[in-house]
Amino acid sequence: MEYKTLGNTGERIPCVGMGTWELQHTEKSLTALKAGLAMGDRFIDTAELYGTEDIVGKAIAGEDGVFVASKVWVSHFRHDDVIRACTGSLKKLGLKQIDLYQLHWPSRDVPIKDTMSAMEALLKQGKIRHIGVSNFSVAQLREARDALKGADVVSNQVEYGILMREPEHDGMLEYCAKERITVIAYSPLSHGALFGPGCKELMQTLESVGHGYGKTGAQVALSWLVSHDQVVPIPKASSAEHVKANIAAAELKLSKKDIGLLDRESLRFARPSLASSRNW
């Protein structure tokens, strides 16, 4: 498994993680997570909103060196609520410390200074190691960073993939590259839309490129994301087979020529992100 540096921390994390949004509470899901860990993918992302912290806790029980990321939902952004939410997440995960604790979505109602003061309190208490955000715009990310007194935001988790190029056009990738902030890309295959009839031509291009490497079109799409220095995709760990394929995609090194081809072709099919489609 290849590794990338998390933000400006100097810490190295797998270049492809395991996502758990909409992951079912089944033996199949648990097996998938454990298989990923066994194959070296020791980065799992979850959230209190997902309802998957408990199954993640089961998967990592007895494991060492697993990088676990979770998120606090907007309804818990007031200072004391953040502390309680983190305590609850730690209990479900069976951990004493969360590696990366993220604000799940920008809040309209709670001043960011109040929320960030709680995040820094969690740092001081040793309950979390790093602070991240999710679905924040560049302006919101700047505001969140300015609200911190002795720490910094190390990551922003956003929807990004070969079919959803918004972070390239709204300045997010450029800003994060300049400021050394990791972009964690959720739904890298666009909730399965990449395999739909509307993307048939794009998938044909992906499969054509993949043929030269002995990989599938989906693996090429993930590898295209990994080719961006500061980007770490987190495809859902839906089965052990999918996790194995995702890890193999992380090992694929696309040529500059193929990356350029995919850059051009995918723009014809690009669509808005889930976050931008909501009036938050």
Side-chain angles (χ1 to χ4, degrees):
M1 171 63 73
E2 299 288 330
Y3 281 71
K4 291 187 178 183
T5 302
L6 174 67
N8 61 1
T9 67
E11 181 164 357
R12 305 283 284 174
I13 62 173
C15 66
V16 171
M18 292 188 285
T20 63
W21 183 45
E22 295 186 332
L23 193 70
Q24 300 298 311
H25 287 66
T26 63
E27 192 64 31
K28 179 181 178 182
S29 297
L30 185 60
T31 298
L33 291 171
K34 288 186 174 181
L37 294 175
M39 289 184 281
D41 193 350
R42 305 184 75 76
F43 170 24
I44 302 178
D45 179 81
T46 182
E48 63 169 338
L49 183 72
Y50 297 171
T52 57
E53 289 175 321
D54 51 352
I55 194 169
V56 170
K58 291 178 182 178
I60 65 175
E63 296 278 353
D64 294 322
V66 181
F67 188 93
V68 177
S70 193
K71 309 177 196 72
V72 54
W73 184 240
V74 291
S75 59
H76 296 150
F77 272 17
R78 297 196 182 280
H79 187 281
D80 290 352
D81 292 335
V82 174
I83 304 299
R84 278 192 288 269
C86 183
T87 301
S89 291
L90 285 167
K91 183 177 181 180
K92 290 178 182 178
L93 291 164
L95 296 173
K96 293 183 179 179
Q97 187 179 60
I98 295 172
D99 296 295
L100 176 64
Y101 201 43
Q102 305 154 97
L103 307 186
H104 203 147
W105 214 287
S107 173
R108 294 172 174 171
D109 305 317
V110 182
I112 192 66
K113 288 185 178 180
D114 292 354
T115 308
M116 284 307 193
S117 68
M119 296 292 272
E120 288 200 287
L122 290 170
L123 278 176
K124 293 177 182 178
Q125 294 168 13
K127 292 184 177 180
I128 66 175
R129 296 180 57 228
H130 303 294
I131 296 172
V133 297
S134 183
N135 299 300
F136 275 47
S137 67
V138 172
Q140 291 164 337
L141 181 49
R142 285 197 184 102
E143 186 180 11
R145 297 179 72 197
D146 289 343
L148 292 166
K149 296 179 180 179
D152 200 359
V153 175
V154 304
S155 63
N156 186 15
Q157 185 173 147
V158 296
E159 185 177 0
Y160 182 37
I162 200 162
L163 194 57
M164 210 303 293
R165 305 279 294 274
E166 190 173 327
E168 299 173 18
H169 307 307
D170 64 10
M172 183 59 67
L173 282 195
E174 181 180 3
Y175 177 78
C176 288
K178 179 181 177 182
E179 299 296 320
R180 296 175 63 194
I181 296 171
T182 295
V183 174
I184 300 175
Y186 70 79
S187 299
L189 302 180
S190 298
H191 316 281
L194 187 60
F195 307 101
C199 296
K200 186 177 181 180
E201 290 182 49
L202 177 56
M203 182 52 72
Q204 287 175 343
T205 300
L206 289 165
E207 289 175 345
S208 177
V209 170
H211 181 73
Y213 298 93
K215 302 295 182 183
T216 67
Q219 287 175 312
V220 171
L222 285 177
S223 181
W224 176 85
L225 271 175
V226 174
S227 72
H228 297 74
D229 289 341
Q230 79 275 27
V231 177
V232 175
I234 49 169
K236 184 169 69 173
S238 55
S239 70
E241 292 75 17
H242 283 157
V243 170
K244 183 178 180 179
N246 295 339
I247 292 173
E251 299 167 353
L252 170 59
K253 303 295 184 184
L254 294 172
S255 70
K256 290 183 179 180
K257 180 181 178 181
D258 286 332
I259 291 171
L261 170 65
L262 295 171
D263 284 346
R264 294 188 301 273
E265 288 296 305
S266 63
L267 283 176
R268 298 195 292 121
F269 302 89
R271 57 190 62 194
S273 71
L274 175 65
S276 64
S277 67
R278 297 175 177 174
N279 186 27
W280 288 86

